[in-house]
Amino acid sequence: MEAILYQKADDLRVSCNLCAHRCVIPNGKRGICGVRENREGTLVSLVYGKLIAEHVDPIEKKPLYHFLPGSLSYSIATVGCNFRCRFCQNADIAQMPNDRNGIILGEKRSAGAIVRNAIANGCKSIAFTYTEPTVFAEFAFDVMKAGHREELKNVFVTNGYMSEEALEYLAPVLDAANVDLKAFSDAFYRKVCSAKLQPVLDTLQRMKAKGIWIEITTLLIPGMNDDPDELRRLAAFIRYELGPGVPWHISRFHPDYKMLDRAFTPVPTLQEARRIGLAAGLHHVYTGNVPGDAGEHTYCPACSALLIERMGFRIRKNRIVERKCPECGATIEMVDA
């Protein structure tokens, strides 16, 4: 299928404007994502409707804790990613084209079939996740349009590296996003992800301005992005540029892919990061990949009452009524319908 958001250039080259890399792709070559190819001056998507993953997940797995809590999300992905994260935990599919000589695997699906499957499985949303959904934006857009017609919500789990043009294209049908803010250091992004920090910050601010529900995830890697001063700056960005009600998920790292030399994140490091976020004025800061930790739960930012009790991705108890704390009446920032 012909790709969106590109321009033809001299010598059969094309300029892809889908993400912040803005690849200039010679004839016969692919962009950084490995799934968009220049064929005689026409940029094509190699993954349209070609799913490598298709599952029913709790929305909390995205993780989204304040968007349709307790519901199911029909979750899909194609291969490909526009990052090269050395710690990628889905590298077998995200990095498949680049690690396996350009191979692209997947099962053909139509937008209508995905929507029907979502409804049949009792899902309230469709999540574009596991790999970077921006790289299959053409198919995601068609699925999202079809989903909206059936009153399903649409969720991106993304690295936030989409271009401004791509967000303009997707925003009318995008309801929520969990954006990985992998660090608050451009040096980290360049060294570990082969990307830059600023485009991610720009995307977060644009999403917020467009009314897209956002939550943020940071995977804490020992010795790389867990410096307390850096975490304070990150928390301050969320607080003052996005708002104190934007949830921040701080997840535990485990060794994977090309980063096997690091240990698991110590739980006290996660707990300290959570304290930093709360001290910065964030209303909701969560610890992830640590089932049973108190940081899994939702508390009232006004009176500290326990509102949503979780174990892993499962909600045990939800005391919020019409987005209000039952103890003090404070409004809880969330989308519940």
Side-chain angles (χ1 to χ4, degrees), residues 104-125:
I104 291 176
L105 301 178
E107 298 291 329
K108 290 294 292 183
R109 293 286 188 274
S110 69
I114 290 168
V115 170
R116 288 191 295 273
N117 288 344
I119 294 171
N121 282 279
C123 298
K124 290 188 176 181
S125 63

Side-chain angles (χ1 to χ4, degrees), residues 263-335:
F264 283 74
T265 315
V267 173
T269 300
L270 296 174
Q271 294 169 336
E272 175 60 20
R274 181 172 180 267
R275 285 192 287 270
I276 287 171
L278 293 172
L282 301 183
H283 292 174
H284 305 288
V285 186
Y286 298 102
T287 53
N289 298 338
V290 191
D293 188 75
E296 287 190 306
H297 311 317
T298 296
Y299 301 89
C300 176
C303 73
S304 301
L306 176 60
L307 300 179
I308 301 179
E309 182 181 351
R310 299 180 183 85
M311 173 58 74
F313 303 126
R314 184 168 62 88
I315 290 181
R316 287 180 165 178
K317 184 184 298 184
N318 184 350
R319 301 177 62 224
I320 298 173
V321 179
E322 296 182 347
R323 304 178 198 175
K324 299 288 186 181
C325 170
E327 301 292 337
C328 71
T331 299
I332 309 302
E333 303 95 334
M334 66 190 315
V335 176

Side-chain angles (χ1 to χ4, degrees), residues 43-62:
L43 188 64
V44 299
S45 170
L46 304 177
V47 291
Y48 186 91
K50 201 169 187 179
L51 298 190
I52 193 66
E54 188 174 12
H55 303 287
V56 175
D57 289 333
I59 194 72
E60 284 77 13
K61 191 176 181 180
K62 300 306 105 189

Side-chain angles (χ1 to χ4, degrees), residues 78-115:
T78 74
V79 302
C81 186
N82 54 355
F83 274 20
R84 296 285 184 275
C85 299
R86 297 183 59 80
F87 52 85
C88 181
Q89 297 175 353
N90 284 325
D92 56 331
I93 56 176
Q95 302 299 330
M96 179 186 289
N98 295 299
D99 286 352
R100 297 177 61 183
N101 298 314
I103 190 171
I104 291 176
L105 301 178
E107 298 291 329
K108 290 294 292 183
R109 293 286 188 274
S110 69
I114 290 168
V115 170

Side-chain angles (χ1 to χ4, degrees), residues 116-187:
R116 288 191 295 273
N117 288 344
I119 294 171
N121 282 279
C123 298
K124 290 188 176 181
S125 63
I126 299 173
F128 304 84
T129 179
Y130 307 133
T131 63
E132 175 49 48
T134 301
V135 306
F136 62 97
E138 295 87 356
F139 185 60
F141 183 77
D142 287 348
V143 174
M144 289 194 284
K145 284 195 302 181
H148 265 194
R149 287 194 291 268
E150 299 297 331
E151 299 185 348
L152 294 171
K153 300 296 186 182
N154 296 311
V155 171
F156 255 39
V157 181
T158 175
N159 58 32
Y161 219 61
M162 62 189 66
S163 66
E164 184 174 4
E165 302 97 303
L167 184 57
E168 288 292 332
Y169 174 74
L170 295 165
V173 287
L174 181 59
D175 300 294
N178 185 292
V179 179
D180 281 336
L181 184 49
K182 297 175 186 291
F184 210 66
S185 159
D186 194 61

Side-chain angles (χ1 to χ4, degrees), residues 182-204:
K182 297 175 186 291
F184 210 66
S185 159
D186 194 61
F188 177 98
Y189 266 86
R190 290 175 183 271
K191 179 180 179 180
V192 180
C193 307
S194 299
K196 300 175 184 178
L197 170 62
Q198 190 60 49
V200 182
L201 304 183
D202 293 342
T203 292
L204 282 163

